[in-house]
Every structure is written in C-alpha cells, then in structure tokens.
Amino acid sequence: MAVRTIEVRERVMAKNDELAAEVRRRLGEHRVPALNLVSGPGSGKTLLLERTLERLGPEMRIAVVTGDVQTQNDADRLARHTDRLVQAVVTGGACHLDARQVGSALEAIDLDDTDLLFIENVGNLVCPASWDLGEAAKVVLFSVTEGEDKPAKYPKMFRESRYCVLTKVDLLPYVPFDLVLAERTAREVNPGLTFFHTSARTGEGLDGWFDFLRAQVNASRPT
Amino acid sequence: MAVRTIEVRERVMAKNDELAAEVRRRLGEHRVPALNLVSGPGSGKTLLLERTLERLGPEMRIAVVTGDVQTQNDADRLARHTDRLVQAVVTGGACHLDARQVGSALEAIDLDDTDLLFIENVGNLVCPASWDLGEAAKVVLFSVTEGEDKPAKYPKMFRESRYCVLTKVDLLPYVPFDLVLAERTAREVNPGLTFFHTSARTGEGLDGWFDFLRAQVNASRPT
C-alpha cells in the first residue's frame, strides 16, 4: 500500500518534470527569464509584485502567473498595477502550483511580447519546493516577523532557491529578529543564496531588487 | 493515471481517518482534551506554547507532541519550559502531521498523568487542514503581520478550526492590519469561530487564552 503510493507519486513527479522541461524550453526559445516566488502565507509576495509592476512596468513588459488555493485575490490586486494580463490559477485546494498549470497559463500569454515572467506560487514553505515549474530560479521570500530559524526548519525550500528576499524590514525595530543570524542560518542550508533586504511598505531596499530584475532581463536579451 | 492517484489518496485518507478515530478513542478514555495548533510558518505556535507551559505548567499536566519538517528546534525550545516529555515528530519533508505519527507519539506519553495535550502541527496553512489527528479541536493561529485576507485564501483551514488565535497584536501599530475586517473575513468562512487576540511577547490577551484552556480541562474532568 505504502509502496504503491510512492510509485504513483514518483510517476506524477516524473510527469511534472517533463512538463517543466517543456515550459523551460518555451521560455528559453522566447528568451523570457522566469522567477518563481515562494514563501509562507503572508510574507509579502503580492505586495512585492505590486511595487515591482508599478516601478518597472513602464520600462519592461512583465507577465504574471499567480496561484491561489481558493480565491483570485492576488490576481485582482496585481491587475490594478498593470494593463497586461495577469493569469490567475486557482488550485482548488492544492498546496502548490505544478508545471501543467503554468504551461496552461502560458497559453494565454504572448511570450514574444514579454521581457520577464513572475510566477507567484501558493503561500507554503513546504510543498512548492518539490515542484519544478520550468522557472529560471526560485526566489524565496522570508519576513522578519517569521523568526530566524525558518531556513533550518524548511531547508528544502531554501536549498532549491537561488535568491532570498527578506521582507518587512521596516518592522525590525519592533520584532526580535537577528538579520545576521537569519542570513547565517540560510547560508548553512544554501551557501549560494543571494539576499535582498526589502520593505515594500517604505520602499527600503527595493532599488537593489529592481536593479537585479533589470540585469536578469538584460542578460536574456540577444547580444 | 489521474484516477489512480485519487484512489490511492482516498485510501490513504480513509486509513488516516481510522487511525484518528483510534487516537480520539484513547484520548477520550483518558479524558485528555487535545488541541491541534495549525498556522503558516512563523505565526507563533511555539512561542504561544512556551508561554502556556510557563504559566499553566504549575497547575496542570500538559503534554506536547510537536511536528517539524526537518529539525527538532520546536521540541528543544518547548523542553526548556517543562520537565515533562515533549514528543518530537520530524516528518522528513512531509507537509503535515498524520494520525499514525500522533498515535506513535502518544505511546511515549502517560495519558493517565496528563490533563491537556497540545499537538503542534507543521507550519502550513494548506495541507494540515485535510488531516484529522484525533484532536478535540483545531486552533488556527494567524499573525497580524500576515494580512486580513488569509481566511478567504485558505478557507479550509479556517473552516476546520473551532478557535482562532490572532497573534503578535503588539505589532498592530506598525502594520496595515484591520482587526475587524480580519475577523469578519474569518467569520464569513466559519461563523462559529471563537477568537483570541494575543501577544506572546507582551503577554497581552494571554489571560483569556489561559482561562479557555482551564475551562477545557475542567470540562473534561469526571463530575
């Protein structure tokens, strides 16, 4: 019984990997860098995207695929900040996006008219770590209200991510959060992580994030 | 293929329900009320339990089963506040506790010497909603740093819970969080929810939580 469950799971994951490879091939063909934003609930993925669309929307063509368990709340919030299509995927109770859902969402997006793609995953620090969506990189968000130990407790997510955005740094004076310890804990899990310190409310640290995104887009343009 | 996955999942869930019924029967036999604490990562489950053990440890016998994806961090933190055994369950990457794990953990706990059992679930607002652990009630924690829309976005968890502990209310002056809206959103999903407003850092609102726990224990004692 247990064995059979594992077999089925392995086949589901293998199928997902195939579909993710196909998504990655399509994105590569159109030279669209794709970032998969992952975090626990309420870490600030949507607000970071709102600020990003506001600031960078006038200088690059940004597409968004956003996944939510039950509502279209995030898609509705994002749509206020862009004239471009925001593709909503309601997972109907599932705890992560999969490559099939992203592949379907891309059908509605003109990749020739896109410089940068964000995939906003379901708020969950466990399950999305195991699902390749064909992205160029995972970006894990981590709020200073959550405690420094999160990278040790959810190591797979921090290991699978290339970038780590610390959010809500405007709250640092009011919470017992040690930034140095948090980064050290994250680097123990993944020494290659690059960090951003941001507050989407005050704007602190966002310029570094925007410059990083500009560099991603420039690097993927034909020379 | 999809059909077969669902079949296997249904059988796994049915088996879990059987095991949860067995856990519930054992707890009932020993008159031990059990609360299953659920929330996203970093909402403050462990800190609330630390405060609870400190305050109520001298007046009642509290047992804890705590689940973590990868570490024993939470168990180690809790063990500092009690002489009693804290049972750690490391789920090895799984995104929730199941009834089998709780049943095994109970083997190490003398239920005749226990007035109240806490089960601290994995930090995840999606998956633990679907797994009955044999608890008397689920208690969902929800931090004021997470945004008022969480109950709408993760409705199953708020529907399955009987109590909702709003945490970190000491941060209310610094975050754009509308307490009235948050409760209204939660009640739309589950009109029967009972709320607590707490800050484990400042102690605000904890007396109401402690009184609630005393009442749970008194209600389960033989008359």
Side-chain angles (χ1 to χ4, degrees):
Chain A
M1 173 67 200
V3 172
R4 200 168 157 213
T5 309
I6 289 164
E7 273 172 16
V8 172
R9 186 178 153 81
E10 274 175 3
R11 264 177 298 151
V12 170
M13 298 302 281
K15 184 69 189 163
N16 184 73
D17 285 348
E18 264 174 48
L19 293 168
E22 171 58 20
V23 167
R24 189 166 282 114
R25 196 195 53 69
R26 273 162 72 189
L27 292 170
E29 209 172 85
H30 296 273
R31 298 173 175 273
V32 177
L35 298 174
N36 177 3
L37 302 193
V38 291
S39 80
S43 297
K45 296 183 294 302
T46 311
L47 191 58
L48 183 68
L49 282 177
E50 289 183 87
R51 294 288 171 269
T52 303
L53 289 170
E54 273 169 15
R55 176 70 77 87
L56 296 183
E59 59 182 277
M60 58 177 76
R61 299 164 298 174
I62 302 176
V64 183
V65 175
T66 180
D68 228 337
V69 173
Q70 193 72 30
T71 67
Q72 284 209 58
N73 286 12
D74 293 343
D76 293 342
R77 277 174 64 187
L78 294 170
R80 279 184 233 132
H81 301 272
T82 176
D83 292 333
R84 298 175 62 83
L85 184 70
V86 174
Q87 266 307 88
V89 180
V90 178
T91 68
C95 50
H96 59 85
L97 287 176
D98 63 35
R100 186 189 301 274
Q101 291 164 330
V102 173
S104 304
L106 289 187
E107 297 297 335
I109 293 172
D110 181 355
L111 292 177
D112 281 328
D113 190 40
T114 301
D115 297 313
L116 175 64
L117 173 70
F118 285 108
I119 303 166
E120 183 186 9
N121 219 312
V122 172
N124 181 337
L125 268 181
V126 189
C127 315
S130 302
W131 296 80
D132 183 7
L133 305 182
E135 72 272 356
K138 286 189 176 67
V139 180
V140 61
L141 276 72
F142 169 23
S143 146
V144 303
T145 63
E146 289 175 28
E148 303 94 349
D149 60 343
K150 291 299 155 294
K153 294 181 68 179
Y154 304 90
K156 183 160 192 185
M157 189 63 95
F158 285 81
R159 208 174 291 127
E160 295 287 329
S161 296
R162 201 175 309 157
Y163 307 99
C164 176
V165 180
L166 281 150
T167 60
K168 310 191 191 184
V169 297
D170 58 296
L171 295 177
L172 278 173
Y174 314 112
V175 294
F177 186 89
D178 182 338
L179 215 51
V180 175
L181 175 60
E183 289 202 2
R184 192 190 310 142
T185 307
R187 285 217 170 88
E188 275 166 17
V189 169
N190 180 357
L193 268 179
T194 299
F195 293 89
F196 300 90
H197 297 176
T198 66
S199 164
R201 275 186 79 211
T202 65
E204 187 179 341
L206 290 183
D207 284 335
W209 167 249
F210 297 144
D211 285 344
F212 158 73
L213 296 175
R214 289 184 184 106
Q216 297 295 306
V217 169
N218 287 333
S220 67
R221 279 183 179 141
T223 47
Chain B
M1 173 66 202
V3 172
R4 199 169 156 214
T5 309
I6 289 164
E7 274 173 15
V8 171
R9 186 177 154 80
E10 275 176 2
R11 265 179 296 150
V12 170
M13 298 302 280
K15 183 69 190 166
N16 184 74
D17 285 347
E18 265 175 47
L19 294 167
E22 171 58 20
V23 168
R24 188 166 282 117
R25 196 194 54 69
R26 272 162 73 188
L27 293 170
E29 209 173 84
H30 296 273
R31 299 173 174 273
V32 177
L35 297 175
N36 178 3
L37 302 194
V38 291
S39 80
S43 298
K45 294 183 294 302
T46 312
L47 190 58
L48 182 68
L49 281 178
E50 289 184 87
R51 294 289 172 267
T52 303
L53 290 170
E54 273 169 16
R55 176 69 78 87
L56 295 184
E59 61 184 274
M60 59 177 75
R61 299 164 299 175
I62 302 175
V64 183
V65 174
T66 180
D68 227 339
V69 175
Q70 193 71 30
T71 67
Q72 285 210 60
N73 285 13
D74 292 343
D76 293 342
R77 277 173 65 187
L78 294 170
R80 278 184 234 133
H81 301 273
T82 177
D83 292 334
R84 297 176 62 83
L85 184 69
V86 175
Q87 268 306 89
V89 180
V90 178
T91 68
C95 49
H96 60 85
L97 286 175
D98 62 36
R100 186 190 300 275
Q101 292 164 329
V102 173
S104 304
L106 288 187
E107 296 297 335
I109 293 172
D110 182 354
L111 291 177
D112 281 328
D113 190 39
T114 301
D115 298 312
L116 177 63
L117 173 69
F118 284 108
I119 304 166
E120 182 185 10
N121 219 313
V122 172
N124 181 337
L125 269 182
V126 190
C127 315
S130 302
W131 296 81
D132 183 6
L133 305 182
E135 71 272 358
K138 286 189 176 66
V139 179
V140 62
L141 276 71
F142 168 21
S143 146
V144 303
T145 63
E146 288 174 30
E148 303 93 349
D149 60 344
K150 292 297 155 295
K153 295 180 67 179
Y154 304 91
K156 183 161 191 184
M157 189 64 96
F158 284 81
R159 208 174 293 128
E160 294 287 329
S161 297
R162 199 175 310 157
Y163 307 99
C164 176
V165 180
L166 281 150
T167 61
K168 310 192 192 184
V169 297
D170 58 296
L171 295 177
L172 279 172
Y174 314 113
V175 295
F177 186 89
D178 182 336
L179 214 52
V180 174
L181 176 60
E183 289 202 2
R184 193 191 311 141
T185 307
R187 284 216 171 90
E188 275 165 19
V189 168
N190 179 357
L193 268 179
T194 299
F195 293 88
F196 299 90
H197 297 177
T198 67
S199 164
R201 275 186 80 212
T202 65
E204 187 180 340
L206 289 183
D207 284 336
W209 167 247
F210 297 145
D211 284 343
F212 159 73
L213 296 175
R214 288 183 185 108
Q216 296 297 305
V217 169
N218 286 334
S220 67
R221 279 184 178 141
T223 47

